[in-house]
């Protein structure tokens, strides 16, 4: 299972996201083809994947067909198996440094009209940003939280119900850029629906506790970074990083100047002096989606309560009682093998599993 997700990104790396707006149509879903024209052309289909300018071509999707590991025994029941074949079996493969669902953008690290200018993007320590840079970063996050994603929509039903009750009403919704970042993480970890009245299966997920952990999350962050670069039209925008392993065991970015201090009224809420106290939870009713076999949606007004930090108070997950310390990082880096059988949460001597905190 996890290995297949790792491979997914090798085969599928040109596709910037799951559901391009242009392919969330009855025609694309029934043909299985998501190869939009890049230029607006007189004859539809004459510039699929930017083919008229050599940017890419529409090809058969190759998904990994090797069997799942023993941790996943529900073959054939989840749309995410052999992604994206349940939805699309022909997608764009982009040439050179072109990328994106229609080959209309550039691979990370490249920019310019024909993606031939190499750019270096530097991710900086968030604590080293100047006041001005910090405020700009917060403004940008706020803008991402409220700007509708121009290219991507989210599926709000499983494949078998994706065309709607009448077979003609694709079940997709707009989503904001930041909420898309949240939603795609939710979609990768959501449980497998096994049928009405049956418990959904959450024994494994598609992005944690397996070899794809690092690859998946790198891609996830690259996607947000790219979406923000496009939003603010600045190809050099970089997400800052947080070095949490300082040995001080305090959340030094949990201040109102950065990610929000703790509320005085409720230790799990964010201080009202922070912009993040206004942010709402997306995908709050996970148990409902799992019971009904629906998928988290983003409709305005269905966003949940205020975001909470560490809602379980470390009670439900005692393994995260403290922040890692420098010696934890050093120990982790001493593990020489990337991952070991059974490639799961009980792998031993595995760099990946150590990094996941096991
Ligand atoms: C691709 O998907 C379409 C739509 O589901 C289906 O009709 C077609 O047979 C598939 N083609 C291949 C080669 O799997
Ligand atoms: C989604 O957003 C697009 C572009 O902003 C808009 O044209 C479209 O009507 C919206 N669709 C829905 C279902 O809200
Ligand atoms: C790891 O966990 C799986 C699933 O619970 C179990 O079948 C397997 O025996 C465990 N392997 C080891 C080495 O502990």
């Amino acid at each position: 299972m996890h290995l297949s997700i790792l491979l997914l990104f090798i085969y599928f790396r040109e596709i910037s996201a799951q559901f391009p707006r242009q392919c969330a149509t009855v025609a694309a879903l029934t043909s299985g083809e998501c190869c939009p024209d890049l230029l607006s052309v007189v004859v539809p289909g004459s510039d699929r994947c930017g083919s008229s300018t050599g940017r890419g071509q529409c090809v058969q999707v190759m998904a990994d067909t090797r069997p799942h590991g023993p941790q996943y025994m529900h073959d054939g029941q989840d749309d995410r198996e052999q992604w994206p074949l349940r939805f699309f079996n022909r997608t764009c493969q982009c040439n050179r440094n072109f990328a994106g669902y229609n080959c209309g953008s550039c691979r990370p690290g490249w920019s310019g009209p024909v993606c031939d200018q190499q750019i270096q993007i530097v991710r900086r320590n968030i604590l080293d940003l100047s006041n001005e840079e910090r405020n700009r970063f917060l403004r940008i996050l706020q803008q991402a939280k409220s700007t509708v994603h121009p290219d991507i929509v989210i599926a709000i039903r499983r494949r078998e119900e994706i065309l709607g009750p009448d077979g003609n009403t694709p079940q997709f919704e707009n989503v904001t850029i930041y909420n898309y970042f949240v939603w795609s993480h939710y979609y990768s970890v959501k449980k497998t629906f096994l049928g009405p009245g049956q418990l959904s299966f959450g024994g494994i997920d598609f992005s944690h506790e397996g070899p794809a952990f690092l690859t998946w999350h790198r891609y996830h962050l690259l996607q947000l970074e790219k979406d923000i670069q496009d939003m603010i039209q600045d190809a050099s925008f970089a997400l800052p990083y947080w070095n949490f392993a300082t040995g001080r065991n305090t959340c030094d970015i949990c201040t109102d100047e950065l990610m929000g201090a703790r509320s005085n009224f409720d230790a799990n809420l964010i201080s009202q002096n922070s912009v993040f106290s206004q942010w709402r939870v997306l995908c709050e009713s996970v148990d409902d989606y799992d019971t009904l076999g629906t998928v988290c949606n983003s409709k305005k007004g269905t966003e949940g309560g205020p975001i909470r930090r560490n809602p379980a108070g470390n009670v439900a997950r005692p393994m995260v009682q403290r922040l890692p310390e420098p010696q934890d990082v050093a120990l982790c880096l001493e593990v020489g093998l990337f991952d070991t059988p059974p490639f799961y949460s009980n792998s031993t001597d595995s760099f990946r599993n150590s990094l996941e905190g096991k």
Side-chain angles (χ1 to χ4, degrees):
M1 167 59 66
H2 292 103
L3 186 62
S4 68
I5 298 301
L6 180 69
L7 290 169
L8 170 120
F9 285 107
I10 297 170
Y11 287 123
F12 202 51
R13 69 185 162 80
E14 290 85 5
I15 307 304
S16 65
Q18 291 93 330
F19 302 109
R21 187 182 293 283
Q22 282 170 281
C23 300
T25 61
V26 174
L29 288 160
T30 46
S31 68
E33 184 174 299
C34 177
C35 293
D37 285 320
L38 179 57
L39 304 171
S40 40
V41 283
V42 182
V43 183
S46 58
D47 190 36
R48 292 184 304 171
C49 311
S51 56
S52 73
T53 47
R55 292 176 81 110
Q57 50 281 324
C58 188
V59 301
Q60 183 87 27
V61 176
M62 305 284 285
D64 188 15
T65 54
R66 281 175 292 178
H68 297 127
Q71 299 91 354
Y72 182 75
M73 59 304 264
H74 297 293
D75 281 3
Q77 305 226 41
D78 196 301
D79 290 342
R80 297 165 296 181
E81 293 170 32
Q82 299 195 343
W83 187 266
L85 288 184
R86 296 292 175 85
F87 295 91
F88 301 112
N89 55 24
R90 288 176 65 80
T91 62
C92 291
Q93 182 179 65
C94 308
N95 303 325
R96 300 194 293 281
N97 298 322
F98 299 114
Y101 67 94
N102 59 3
C103 301
S105 58
C106 305
R107 291 171 56 190
W110 296 88
S111 80
V114 291
C115 304
D116 59 350
Q117 294 159 27
Q118 199 156 15
I119 49 166
Q120 202 163 41
I121 293 171
V122 181
R123 292 188 179 156
R124 294 169 55 206
N125 186 331
I126 192 166
L127 294 178
D128 292 343
L129 301 185
S130 67
N131 283 351
E132 198 179 314
E133 289 165 337
R134 212 163 52 199
N135 291 337
R136 173 173 186 255
F137 178 55
L138 296 195
R139 273 200 312 275
I140 286 171
L141 285 182
Q142 185 65 34
Q143 190 184 344
K145 181 72 174 168
S146 56
T147 304
V148 171
H149 202 300
D151 305 326
I152 301 300
V153 289
I154 57 171
I156 58 168
R157 288 292 183 274
R158 286 170 294 117
R159 178 62 180 95
E160 58 182 286
E161 298 176 348
I162 200 72
L163 294 178
D166 60 358
N168 202 24
T169 315
Q171 302 290 298
F172 294 91
E173 267 179 12
N174 282 328
V175 68
T176 70
I177 288 168
Y178 195 90
N179 282 354
Y180 173 61
F181 176 68
V182 175
W183 185 90
S184 46
H185 195 272
Y186 148 82
Y187 194 79
S188 82
V189 301
K190 78 186 187 75
K191 293 182 179 177
T192 296
F193 182 67
L194 298 178
Q198 296 199 50
L199 275 186
S200 291
F201 172 76
I204 57 118
D205 81 40
F206 285 64
S207 56
H208 302 86
E209 304 187 329
F213 174 73
L214 284 156
T215 325
W216 194 94
H217 287 85
R218 280 181 85 89
Y219 185 85
H220 191 225
L221 287 168
L222 277 172
Q223 169 84 45
L224 176 65
E225 202 167 54
K226 171 80 177 135
D227 285 346
I228 290 179
Q229 289 165 358
D230 292 345
M231 177 185 79
I232 61 174
Q233 300 191 351
D234 175 0
S236 72
F237 170 82
L239 293 169
Y241 69 87
W242 176 34
N243 177 7
F244 46 73
T246 58
R248 287 196 299 275
N249 202 30
T250 53
C251 177
D252 52 12
I253 57 168
C254 297
T255 63
D256 288 334
E257 290 69 47
L258 287 168
M259 309 319 284
R262 198 175 254 205
S263 159
N264 289 328
F265 306 105
D266 178 339
N268 295 325
L269 284 180
I270 292 176
S271 149
Q272 296 206 315
N273 298 325
S274 162
V275 289
F276 297 107
S277 64
Q278 304 302 314
W279 283 36
R280 303 286 133 194
V281 174
L282 183 73
C283 308
E284 193 164 54
S285 316
V286 172
D287 293 343
D288 291 350
Y289 319 134
D290 288 344
T291 309
L292 301 170
T294 57
V295 180
C296 161
N297 58 63
S298 73
K299 276 214 176 79
K300 268 208 164 60
T302 63
E303 281 192 20
I307 57 171
R308 292 176 168 267
R309 182 169 291 141
N310 195 13
N314 280 339
V315 175
R317 303 189 67 194
M319 71 182 186
V320 285
Q321 272 167 349
R322 61 174 181 86
L323 290 173
E325 308 214 356
Q327 59 263 40
D328 298 318
V329 175
L331 278 176
C332 193
L333 289 172
E334 272 173 29
V335 181
L337 286 174
F338 179 74
D339 209 350
T340 55
F343 305 106
Y344 191 43
S345 53
N346 56 3
S347 291
T348 50
D349 301 318
S350 151
F351 169 73
R352 186 272 313 159
N353 209 26
S354 306
L355 193 68
E356 285 199 73
K358 302 289 165 60

